[in-house]
Amino acid sequence: MRWASAGAIVAASGLAVSQPDSTLGRALFLDPGKGNCAACHQVPADPAIKSTSRIGAPLVGIKSQYPDRARLRAIIWDLSTTIPDTIMPPYGRHRILTEAEIDALLRYLDGI
Amino acid sequence: MGSSLRRSYFRFLTAVLLATCGLPASAQALLTAEQERQALIQVLQKRFPGTGPADWQLGVEGLVAGAGTVVQAIPFDSDNATNSADILAIGKKRWERKFKDGKSFAHCFPNGGKRIAAAYPQYDAKSKLVVTLEMALNRCLQLHGEPEIEIGNLSAMGPLSAYARNLSEGQRIAVRVATPAAKAKFDAGKALFSRRIGQSNYACASCHVWQAGGVLGAPVPGMPAELKPAVISPVVGQAAAWPRLQPGGTVRTLQMQFQQCMQRSGAEPFALASEEFNNLEYFHSYLSNGLPIRTLTTQR
């Protein structure tokens, strides 16, 4: 159901599921049943993300901020290992996102 | 999480919560419920300078500029009065219904049931359990040989509970935590409030203390789209305005909201009227002591 939901979001945006992974990554970013990242994070460089939240840090220049991809992956996997009182869900540890989905999300984050 | 680890975790969270108020860890074990409530109010006042519980009872509409306009945009206003009146009329009929023995709900409560809701939930020393208003209504039915009402039955318990609480409209919440046994239930509720649960790993405190006032930038699963952007309300003040009126004119109780929050966190919710939720409602309601009861509002 979750893949269908992500696909529906992508399809609703006018883009097919077979488009590059950055599109799938954006879909995962928006999907309330998956990343739901837009609930807390703004993405100023992506007009498709209409979040106004200031709960989490705005996501800008992620690729240059986190040249160590493994570190960024670890943040998405489980930020509580470095920030114990974070409210960011542990997407990997709690299997909210699969490894492949985290990879797709990382590819999307590379471009913002 | 094992019980000893859970206690340690809870003590840690309590320490974190109270340390911001300058209270040493050694004093926390001696804190009364009221001291803990005041400490939490201080934490929230640091997030919302110049405001207090009287503002927070309105939820985010009392705190965040612009949030009120979001609520006003919801087309409930024209129907709200009608729906509320309809629900209260149904509730009044159920409240006044004569039992087989000739009695009615009014016989089970002091003052005929008027101005009693502020004392609920309450700790019952005989059963050693927290009793909510809905449970008290069912106890009355049981006492008089009548079948109990399923607490989750919106069409049956909803209007009755709303009317029973409406008899105390405007009365200031006055939940008591007067004995060590009652405090233990209060603490159990606080532990659940502070505990991270579910796939998303949220605690109630994660949002309603540490992120209170934060704007959610995307729809919360299960919430109508017209309610975005959702703003996170502070926990103090939340319990004052229940039950609430939902789109379509149905009633939402506080424990139904607990269930929805747990589901949003990716957790299997506890049952309505479970000991876990009763303890949580006890703790949660105590935090709103002093605030006036308001029933069948449409605020978020």
Side-chain angles (χ1 to χ4, degrees):
Chain A
M1 185 177 85
R2 286 176 174 170
W3 278 105
S5 177
I9 291 173
V10 171
S13 66
L15 301 167
V17 176
S18 59
Q19 290 287 323
D21 278 342
S22 61
T23 303
L24 177 58
R26 180 193 288 117
L28 292 167
F29 191 94
L30 287 169
D31 189 343
K34 282 290 184 178
N36 200 29
C37 315
C40 296
H41 293 284
Q42 296 182 34
V43 182
D46 189 343
I49 308 296
K50 302 192 190 305
S51 172
T52 56
S53 179
R54 293 191 294 272
I55 293 173
L59 303 180
V60 181
I62 295 299
K63 193 169 184 180
S64 58
Q65 279 194 55
Y66 296 95
D68 181 354
R69 196 183 185 83
R71 182 169 167 236
L72 182 58
R73 189 186 182 81
I75 287 172
I76 296 172
W77 185 268
D78 185 2
L79 182 57
S80 69
T81 55
T82 50
I83 304 178
D85 61 352
T86 182
I87 65 166
M88 182 163 156
Y91 291 104
R93 175 163 66 91
H94 278 197
R95 301 181 189 177
I96 301 169
L97 297 173
T98 65
E99 301 267 9
E101 288 171 334
I102 292 176
D103 287 338
L105 190 57
L106 285 170
R107 279 191 282 275
Y108 167 70
L109 293 174
D110 277 346
I112 60 173
Chain B
M1 185 184 288
S3 59
S4 61
L5 185 59
R6 186 162 52 235
R7 283 195 296 273
S8 299
Y9 186 59
F10 166 64
R11 281 198 295 269
F12 167 74
L13 286 176
T14 302
V16 169
L17 181 66
L18 297 176
T20 58
C21 307
L23 291 169
S26 59
Q28 292 163 24
L30 303 176
L31 292 176
T32 65
E34 184 56 20
Q35 286 169 325
E36 296 201 52
R37 188 177 82 93
Q38 291 299 330
L40 186 52
I41 288 171
Q42 287 184 44
V43 168
L44 290 170
Q45 282 178 321
K46 285 181 182 171
R47 290 187 64 79
F48 306 109
T51 68
D55 303 296
W56 307 336
Q57 67 179 308
L58 299 176
V60 296
E61 286 79 23
L63 293 167
V64 180
T69 58
V70 174
V71 173
Q72 288 157 18
I74 300 170
F76 291 169
D77 291 344
S78 60
D79 294 333
N80 184 26
T82 304
N83 287 337
S84 296
D86 288 347
I87 288 170
L88 290 176
I90 294 169
K92 183 171 192 265
K93 198 172 170 182
R94 293 199 177 128
W95 176 267
E96 292 178 345
R97 178 180 72 88
K98 291 282 187 238
F99 304 147
K100 292 191 198 69
D101 62 3
K103 306 289 186 187
S104 67
F105 282 109
H107 289 89
C108 289
F109 299 96
N111 200 30
K114 294 179 184 173
R115 300 186 67 76
I116 56 96
Y120 285 90
Q122 54 188 232
Y123 177 70
D124 174 38
K126 191 174 174 186
S127 64
K128 297 186 175 49
L129 293 172
V130 168
V131 174
T132 63
L133 181 60
E134 289 78 13
M135 289 168 67
L137 293 169
N138 267 337
R139 281 187 172 184
C140 179
L141 290 168
Q142 186 189 49
L143 195 65
H144 292 279
E146 298 283 329
E148 293 183 26
I149 302 171
E150 188 190 332
I151 284 180
N153 186 329
L154 280 180
S155 60
M157 180 57 83
L160 176 62
S161 167
Y163 183 79
R165 200 164 164 86
N166 189 256
L167 289 173
S168 301
E169 185 83 3
Q171 187 188 14
R172 297 192 180 272
I173 296 174
V175 172
R176 294 184 69 235
V177 180
T179 64
K183 181 65 168 37
K185 298 299 184 185
F186 173 92
D187 286 342
K190 183 174 67 174
L192 179 54
F193 184 82
S194 308
R195 184 186 313 154
R196 289 183 184 264
I197 55 171
Q199 198 177 27
S200 295
N201 207 40
Y202 299 141
C204 309
S206 302
C207 291
H208 296 294
V209 176
W210 306 116
Q211 295 298 334
V215 177
L216 290 170
V220 177
M223 285 186 80
E226 62 266 26
L227 288 181
K228 53 176 182 175
V231 183
I232 302 172
S233 56
V235 63
V236 175
Q238 277 182 337
W242 292 95
R244 294 191 182 169
L245 193 61
Q246 301 190 110
T250 54
V251 173
R252 172 185 287 275
T253 65
L254 182 54
Q255 289 199 12
M256 288 174 189
Q257 185 62 43
F258 293 164
Q259 285 194 319
Q260 187 182 70
C261 285
M262 283 189 73
Q263 285 164 341
R264 285 180 191 158
S265 291
E268 184 69 28
F270 294 108
L272 299 175
S274 60
E275 195 170 342
E276 290 88 352
F277 270 0
N278 291 343
N279 293 338
L280 178 59
E281 185 175 336
Y282 189 46
F283 165 76
H284 191 265
S285 299
Y286 184 90
L287 297 182
S288 292
N289 268 0
L291 298 176
I293 289 173
R294 295 189 305 145
T295 50
L296 297 180
T297 66
T298 56
Q299 70 185 72
R300 287 176 286 129

